[in-house]
Every structure is written in structure tokens, then in C-alpha cells.
Amino acid sequence: MKSNRVPVMIRGVRRAFTLIELLVVIAIIALLISLLLPSLANARRSAQTVICQSGMRQLTLGLQYYIDEQKEGRAIYPLLYNVDAAGNPIATNVRMQVNMVDILQPYLGDAGQAPFICPSAKGLTSVKDPSNIAYLLSGGRVFTRPFPPTTGGQVDKYTEYWFNDSLAGTYQGRPVGVSGQRITAIRHLDWTVFVTDALDEFPRHVGRARGSASNTPSGSGKNNFSFGDFSIRLIDIREYRYQEDPYGAPGSFYNWGHFYPNGG
């Protein structure tokens, strides 16, 4: 006689995954990771860009406090050519970007070195990279201390941001330049770059930097720019290296706002 009873599973006995099922699960996990990683990387890069913009804003405010503290009508942008942080002449021909660390720290509260650091500045895009220190010095640009650099020496002060070092002067009878220039003589502060990411030839935001410090650099991507009107903009390298500003100052960005060979 045929039994109608349902077979009972023996307690504790489980059916194991087959190899094919394991491979399917692993493939699904790998697919999910491949889909999520670009989004996470983009989110991290966006966060780093915002942090860099925050530091840049602090530095621009520090510059404004420094300028406001000077005598009315004689307020100038700090001089960065051939001087130490106290403004004393030095026997060399360099632009001392690192001086800004000492110049601005009294106006940055307890922030210390922090505003001069950008989390996106790594490797080729960082002034602390040993090859970049030598590359910068070959062009008369000093972003790190000690100066002159020592072989294998430890960097103790640095700025991952460039400050406008276009030397004050005149062109066809008109004032030009920013470094050491009276603020009232700068024609268009809304397009005068006060601070930007260093180095402009190796953009550190959005795109990946290419090239090397030993040859003519090239890059793709964007850098942050802080202007004299306190606005901060993320600008593509093709724009900030080659385009003129709205008033007619030619590229690169260090000409914007003050250098107008055709009148402006």
C-alpha cells in the first residue's frame, strides 16, 4: 500500500552550495563593487575639492585682514619677490610663495598650517614631491622650507596654494601686477586671482594630472581659483591657461584683472 506521508528532513543536514552557485554570487558581488567604486571615488574627489575651497577661502580672508590692517590708501598685496617673510631682501632671484605661511598665520587664528594643505595634492600635484621641489626651484618658485632645500631634508613649512606673484610695475604708463601692488591700483578685482591651486600645470581636481616635472608639463582637469571679490571658481585648465578675462586681459590666469596691453 502506497504511503501518503511526506518525507521528513533529518535535522542538521543542509544542502551545500555548488561551485557554480558560489561563482555566481562572487560575480554578482564583483559587479556591484565595480558599479559602486567609481561613485565612491567621485564622491571622495568632490569632498576633497570642497575642503580645498574651504582652505582657499580662509587664506583669501586672511589676505583681506592683512590688507585691511595697513594704512588707508597704502594697502598692498604682499610682495613675494626676492624677500623673506619679514620683507627683507634675499640674495637670490626667486618668488617666495612659502613666505605666505608666515605672513598670513597671524590672521588665521589657531588654524596653523591647515589652510595651506589640500587633500587633493598628492604626488605630481603636490609641492612637497621631491621632484617637484627641484622642478619649481629651477623656475625660481619656492613653495617649501627649508630654503634652499637640503638633500633628503624634511619639509617643515609649505603651501599647496599659489599666491599671485605678478610683480607690480607699469605698462604704457598704467599700473600692472599684483605682488607688492596697491590694491586700489588693481583695475578689476573681480577677475584678479589672489589664490589658486599649485601647480597650475598639474591640475589636481576632477581630471588626472599628466606629465612629469622633468619635461614640459601637460594636464587635464580643473583647479580652484579665489578672486579679489572673494568668489571661488573651479576652472578648466584650457580656460585658465589660454583664455582672456571678460575685460580683455590675456591668458594665462596671472594676467587676469590687472594686465591690459590694449587698454582694458
Side-chain angles (χ1 to χ4, degrees):
M1 184 174 179
K2 189 175 181 180
S3 173
N4 293 322
R5 289 183 301 171
V6 177
V8 179
M9 291 188 65
I10 300 174
R11 184 181 297 275
V13 177
R14 296 184 179 178
R15 174 178 167 274
F17 288 110
T18 66
L19 178 59
I20 293 177
E21 289 172 329
L22 286 172
L23 291 174
V24 169
V25 171
I26 292 171
I28 292 173
I29 293 173
L31 177 61
L32 292 174
I33 290 174
S34 67
L35 292 174
L36 290 174
L37 279 180
S39 298
L40 293 174
N42 288 336
R44 183 177 63 222
R45 283 195 293 267
S46 296
Q48 290 174 340
T49 297
V50 171
I51 292 171
C52 287
Q53 288 177 342
S54 176
M56 190 175 290
R57 192 176 301 278
Q58 291 183 66
L59 296 176
T60 306
L61 286 172
L63 266 170
Q64 186 62 54
Y65 296 148
Y66 168 88
I67 291 166
D68 288 346
E69 201 172 73
Q70 299 174 60
K71 292 181 180 179
E72 185 176 356
R74 295 184 57 83
I76 64 171
Y77 190 97
L79 178 64
L80 298 175
Y81 264 87
N82 302 338
V83 293
D84 62 18
N88 302 310
I90 55 178
T92 186
N93 185 28
V94 291
R95 291 162 283 177
M96 297 293 293
Q97 290 285 335
V98 70
N99 284 356
M100 278 297 199
V101 179
D102 292 323
I103 292 171
L104 295 186
Q105 278 189 338
Y107 306 95
L108 299 175
D110 298 327
Q113 176 80 55
F116 296 91
I117 300 171
C118 175
S120 296
K122 298 174 183 177
L124 190 64
T125 66
S126 174
V127 299
K128 293 198 300 177
D129 183 272
S131 62
N132 267 347
I133 292 175
Y135 162 69
L136 288 165
L137 189 56
S138 70
R141 295 181 286 175
V142 180
F143 284 81
T144 58
R145 282 204 185 115
F147 172 77
T150 56
T151 303
Q154 185 70 31
V155 172
D156 56 22
K157 282 189 179 180
Y158 64 98
T159 171
E160 292 288 3
Y161 298 100
W162 174 91
F163 296 84
N164 203 315
D165 56 18
S166 300
L167 188 61
T170 59
Y171 182 83
Q172 295 182 352
R174 294 186 295 268
V176 297
V178 176
S179 179
Q181 182 66 274
R182 289 181 297 108
I183 297 301
T184 53
I186 299 175
R187 301 180 70 176
H188 299 291
L189 284 173
D190 57 326
W191 270 91
T192 301
V193 177
F194 273 15
V195 191
T196 185
D197 289 304
L199 308 163
D200 65 277
E201 56 263 61
F202 302 127
R204 62 174 60 141
H205 298 289
V206 183
R208 293 182 177 273
R210 301 194 305 270
S212 71
S214 61
N215 58 24
T216 302
S218 62
S220 64
K222 300 180 180 182
N223 271 345
N224 286 312
F225 286 80
S226 176
F227 293 84
D229 63 353
F230 299 103
S231 63
I232 292 181
R233 305 165 218 172
L234 189 63
I235 304 177
D236 187 271
I237 185 173
R238 291 164 294 187
E239 179 179 348
Y240 68 69
R241 297 204 81 175
Y242 304 112
Q243 292 188 15
E244 63 180 29
D245 76 8
Y247 305 100
S252 289
F253 62 91
Y254 44 74
N255 291 323
W256 291 350
H258 65 94
F259 180 61
Y260 296 94
N262 298 318

